[in-house]
Every structure is written in C-alpha cells, then in structure tokens.
Amino acid sequence: MKMLLVMMIFLANFQICSLEDLTLEMERAGSPLQKEQQEEPAYAKWGKLAVEKVKERYPEDKVVDYLHVGREELGEGKASEKFKLWLRGEDREFGVFVTITFEKATDEVIDIQYEETDR
C-alpha cells in the first residue's frame, strides 16, 4: 500500500493519472506482492493430499478449516508433514490430525496416519 501511495505521489508530480490507470499498469507489470502471493509453501502439495484423503475417509463431512502443524525430519531421507483439519457433519464437529510420512528424495508416500480429536 505504501508503494502504491509513493508511486501515485511520484506520478502526480509529472503527469495526472487516475488510480485505475496506475492499478492497471501495476497489474501488467506484476507487483512483488502479487508474485509472493502466487508462490506456494513447500508443504502445500502435502496439505492438498491430506484434504483429499480426509474427504475420502469422511465423505459425509465437510472440511471447514485447515492448519499446517509442522514438518518433522525423521532421518534416513524421510520426513513427515502434519496437518489438522476441522470437519463439520450433520451430527458433530471434530478435528482430524493427518500425518503424511514420505521419502524426501522421491516424494513417495510411506504412510498416512489419522487421529480424530474433539479440540
């Protein structure tokens, strides 16, 4: 936002332009903020897999929230990513911790564990 304001002030000193024109120009150029927002975190693919598998396991319930708990390095070229998904069904609301263990070199899934929680 500061960058936009500075650019508007700078341009106002040289020529009159509308905010719409400036916004269009920034969109064409691709602002640094947009580029940062487009990059996915390293755990994103594992999060998508966690959501997919939970939907398969609980087809009647809806995933309403998602949290990346963290990554654990397990040694011997293995790691795990842990997520907490919050589900809402007709009769209850509950969480499911999903831990995906995989080979770091190949991204081959070794194991997926599920643990229900009421918190």
Side-chain angles (χ1 to χ4, degrees), residues 60-97:
E60 302 300 317
D61 301 317
K62 183 178 178 182
V63 177
V64 295
D65 200 8
Y66 164 100
L67 171 70
H68 176 241
V69 176
R71 180 181 182 114
E72 184 178 355
E73 297 293 333
L74 303 173
E76 299 179 8
K78 298 175 188 172
S80 67
E81 294 284 1
K82 187 171 186 175
F83 302 89
K84 181 179 182 184
L85 282 66
W86 196 253
L87 286 77
R88 184 175 296 140
E90 258 186 57
D91 301 333
R92 68 180 182 146
E93 226 178 271
F94 62 103
V96 178
F97 285 103

Side-chain angles (χ1 to χ4, degrees), residues 10-43:
F10 177 77
L11 290 173
N13 288 328
F14 294 99
Q15 67 183 37
I16 297 174
C17 71
S18 70
L19 177 59
E20 184 178 308
D21 291 340
L22 183 59
T23 304
L24 286 172
E25 210 41 54
M26 287 181 69
E27 285 174 1
R28 278 190 219 117
S31 73
L33 181 58
Q34 287 174 328
K35 290 177 184 173
E36 282 181 26
Q37 290 173 343
Q38 291 174 355
E39 292 179 22
E40 286 189 338
Y43 61 81

Side-chain angles (χ1 to χ4, degrees), residues 13 15 22 46 58 61 88 94 103 111-113 118:
N13 288 328
Q15 67 183 37
L22 183 59
W46 302 114
Y58 302 93
D61 301 317
R88 184 175 296 140
F94 62 103
E103 291 283 345
D111 187 37
I112 301 177
Q113 295 180 349
D118 58 355

